Amino acid sequence: MKKLTLILLIVAFVFSCKSGDKGQLVGVKSKKKWYSEKPFGTVLIPGGSFTMGKQDEDVAGSLSTPTRTVTVTPFYMDETEITNSEYRQFVFWVRDSIIRTKLAILAQDNGDENSSLSKYKFKDSTDGGGVYYKYMMDNYGSLGDVNSPTEGQVLNWKEDLIFDTNKFPDSDYAEVMDSMYLHTDETFNGKRILNADKIKFTYFTFDNEAAAKHKGTERKSFITKEELMIYPDTTVWVKDFNYSYNDPMHQDYFSHQAYDGYPVVGVNWSQAKAFCNWRTQYRNRELSKKKNSTYESAFRLPIESEWEFAARGGYEYGKYPWGNPYPFSDRGCFLANFKPQRGDYALDGGLYTMEAQSFNKNGYGLYNMAGNVSEWTNTAYNPTSYLMASTMNPNVEDKANHRKVVRGGSWKDVAYFLEVGTRDFEYADTARSFIGFRTVQNYQGKLE
């Protein structure tokens, strides 16, 4: 027994010597040096203190934007509104994941290795995590995701999907693909149309604030399942305007490549939040493939104070993002896409929306923080929220309040709504032809 104890002491001594800390408190050393990586298509907003609210006349007399000094922390923000092309990537990913799940489940049920579906089967235990995969499946029947149709099993994304009907390998594959399209009695001219109701995105949220305030409550009580259709409502181009011919925009705006670089519209607040969740998962899933990877902070909608700080572009008392007190330059050129003068929509160069990179950037490198499309924020609208919110990252997030703040004005608005201090709102479940969004991400660490 004494001999064993002596051996253990020697081993412990040798181990402590190899650690190199000489018995001092040095902290846990990271495996690699961490640095903040700017997400593609974003700019760094440095944060700081500024005077928030109407600093000029309140023409509308809303009295909902009293001036006060607030502070926001640094964050990354998309330099443009989310475009049709970017949102389409989200829609296609959800569509493809649903198809791959259907193919994998059918392949698993059939059990025929010679079937065309076999190459779409869930990844094997080695690809899925080896010993851990086997343990979880044996003990829980899933990888912890019992709410998912895949039960946590890994989809095979290496095999390309076949969308050309002339190249479908067999009837099993055709059956799965057919389930994603409208029934033949709902189509015409021989054209099969994707069923937008089938493009549903499922994700889960955790209410950190409620959990912090209700210590001792079961953790699962704060987890909420969100499931919603995420295809944009293209009919907004018709519904938003009575006695107006906007059918070309209804038919082509989201789907045609001519509008790839234009801001996506017809997306309600909940769909914008879902996009943020998907973008976070999409990025961190890719990072997890790297050795010693570090996850990135979540993408989200900006809070109202962040949006106003970013829109000002460093101009403390500017009325518009360009600092100028007028919506046009000293040469008479309009500086944003809105409804100038007495309703001459085309006078500024755009009849409806314009490309997301139109006009000049503001002082922080952001396009169209005024005009083009209004933008969703994460803040609930309350006329008195400026008086009740904190002065550090002020935000009123009331889940019972379905009125959400939109900022920036749009292509159909007069200049008043383009002012950086103007507040407006729309209901969270409502999509419009003049409301889009952009995302932000927390800056982790200290600015150098």
Side-chain angles (χ1 to χ4, degrees):
M1 184 68 182
K2 290 182 179 180
K3 187 175 180 180
L4 177 60
T5 303
L6 179 62
I7 292 173
L8 291 175
L9 286 172
I10 293 173
V11 171
F13 176 76
V14 172
F15 179 77
S16 65
C17 289
K18 286 185 176 181
S19 68
D21 59 21
K22 298 182 180 181
Q24 300 297 329
L25 182 65
V26 297
V28 177
K29 293 184 178 180
S30 300
K31 295 181 179 178
K32 67 174 182 177
K33 186 177 180 179
W34 181 88
Y35 62 93
S36 180
E37 182 178 354
K38 183 173 74 72
F40 181 76
T42 68
V43 296
L44 176 61
I45 309 300
S49 296
F50 73 107
T51 304
M52 184 177 178
K54 283 285 186 184
Q55 297 162 14
D56 208 334
E57 70 276 12
D58 185 4
V59 178
S62 62
L63 302 178
S64 64
T65 56
T67 57
R68 62 179 186 147
T69 300
V70 302
T71 304
V72 295
T73 50
F75 56 95
Y76 293 110
M77 188 177 212
D78 290 323
E79 65 177 358
T80 70
E81 303 112 340
I82 295 299
T83 64
N84 284 319
S85 178
E86 291 169 333
Y87 195 85
R88 210 180 298 140
Q89 182 182 357
F90 172 38
V91 171
F92 286 176
W93 185 92
V94 174
R95 177 201 65 184
D96 291 355
S97 65
I98 293 173
I99 293 174
R100 290 181 187 279
T101 300
K102 288 174 175 284
L103 291 171
I105 292 175
L106 188 57
Q108 188 172 260
D109 292 342
N110 287 352
D112 183 3
E113 292 298 328
N114 297 320
S115 169
S116 67
L117 305 183
S118 61
K119 62 182 180 181
Y120 297 106
K121 290 177 64 175
F122 295 116
K123 288 188 176 182
D124 60 33
S125 59
T126 302
D127 292 332
V131 173
Y132 175 75
Y133 180 96
K134 185 176 186 307
Y135 174 83
M136 291 294 288
M137 296 303 292
D138 288 346
N139 288 272
Y140 297 99
S142 75
L143 288 177
D145 194 0
V146 295
N147 295 297
S148 165
T150 67
E151 295 187 333
Q153 297 180 87
V154 181
L155 292 174
N156 181 5
W157 285 86
K158 291 182 179 180
E159 292 292 336
D160 292 334
L161 294 176
I162 303 170
F163 289 94
D164 186 347
T165 55
N166 295 318
K167 296 180 179 179
F168 283 177
D170 54 32
S171 59
D172 287 337
Y173 188 93
E175 177 186 349
V176 170
M177 296 300 290
D178 183 62
S179 68
M180 298 298 295
Y181 289 82
L182 292 173
H183 194 271
T184 53
D185 60 9
E186 297 180 277
T187 61
F188 50 89
N189 295 335
K191 183 179 180 181
R192 297 304 303 276
I193 302 173
L194 184 70
N195 188 347
D197 293 346
K198 296 292 183 70
I199 312 300
K200 290 184 178 180
F201 181 61
T202 303
Y203 68 102
F204 295 82
T205 60
F206 184 78
D207 193 336
N208 293 292
E209 187 175 344
K213 293 179 179 179
H214 299 85
K215 189 176 180 180
T217 306
E218 284 188 326
R219 182 180 174 84
K220 64 181 180 181
S221 302
F222 306 109
I223 299 175
T224 303
K225 180 180 179 181
E226 308 284 351
E227 183 177 46
L228 70 161
M229 294 179 291
I230 50 92
Y231 200 90
D233 182 2
T234 60
T235 65
V236 293
W237 291 104
V238 176
K239 294 186 294 186
D240 285 347
F241 309 97
N242 293 324
Y243 308 108
S244 176
Y245 178 68
N246 293 309
D247 195 57
M249 300 297 280
H250 167 216
Q251 296 295 332
D252 299 329
Y253 185 74
F254 179 67
S255 58
H256 199 285
Q257 64 184 30
Y259 297 101
D260 279 355
Y262 286 63
V264 67
V265 297
V267 174
N268 63 35
W269 185 79
S270 299
Q271 291 171 323
K273 295 270 285 186
F275 177 91
C276 293
N277 182 279
W278 166 80
R279 187 176 181 183
T280 303
Q281 290 189 51
Y282 191 72
R283 175 59 176 160
N284 285 328
R285 189 179 292 111
E286 186 64 27
L287 288 175
S288 67
K289 298 176 184 177
K290 300 179 180 179
K291 187 177 181 181
N292 301 328
S293 62
T294 303
Y295 73 91
E296 287 187 358
S297 181
F299 289 95
R300 56 182 175 80
L301 293 177
I303 59 177
E304 185 177 15
S305 53
E306 287 175 330
W307 193 98
E308 184 170 327
F309 180 84
R312 290 183 178 277
Y315 294 107
E316 177 66 19
Y317 299 105
K319 188 174 184 177
Y320 297 103
W322 44 85
N324 188 330
Y326 307 105
F328 46 82
S329 69
D330 55 0
R331 296 186 177 184
C333 298
F334 288 104
L335 299 172
N337 178 20
F338 67 113
K339 186 169 72 172
Q341 295 185 1
R342 297 186 178 182
D344 189 346
Y345 288 100
L347 191 60
D348 52 28
L351 182 57
Y352 297 103
T353 59
M354 296 175 68
E355 289 90 341
Q357 288 191 352
S358 299
F359 300 100
N360 295 326
K361 301 177 182 179
N362 76 351
Y364 289 141
L366 301 168
Y367 289 96
N368 288 311
M369 291 301 282
N372 213 23
V373 292
S374 298
E375 299 175 14
W376 290 113
T377 72
N378 200 49
T379 303
Y381 179 80
N382 186 317
T384 62
S385 61
Y386 277 33
L387 303 176
M388 68 176 74
S390 168
T391 55
M392 170 60 75
N393 295 321
N395 181 48
V396 176
E397 190 172 353
D398 182 2
K399 293 183 178 178
N401 185 352
H402 298 291
R403 298 188 300 176
K404 305 301 179 182
V405 173
V406 292
R407 288 294 205 115
S410 74
W411 60 270
K412 71 153 197 67
D413 291 319
V414 295
Y416 169 77
F417 291 98
L418 273 61
E419 297 177 16
V420 291
T422 298
R423 308 178 75 202
D424 200 2
F425 72 88
E426 185 53 84
Y427 287 91
D429 61 354
T430 302
R432 295 291 190 185
S433 60
F434 46 85
I435 298 180
F437 69 101
R438 70 181 80 206
T439 69
V440 299
Q441 183 190 67
N442 297 335
Y443 179 87
Q444 297 170 304
K446 181 182 178 181
L447 285 177
E448 297 181 358

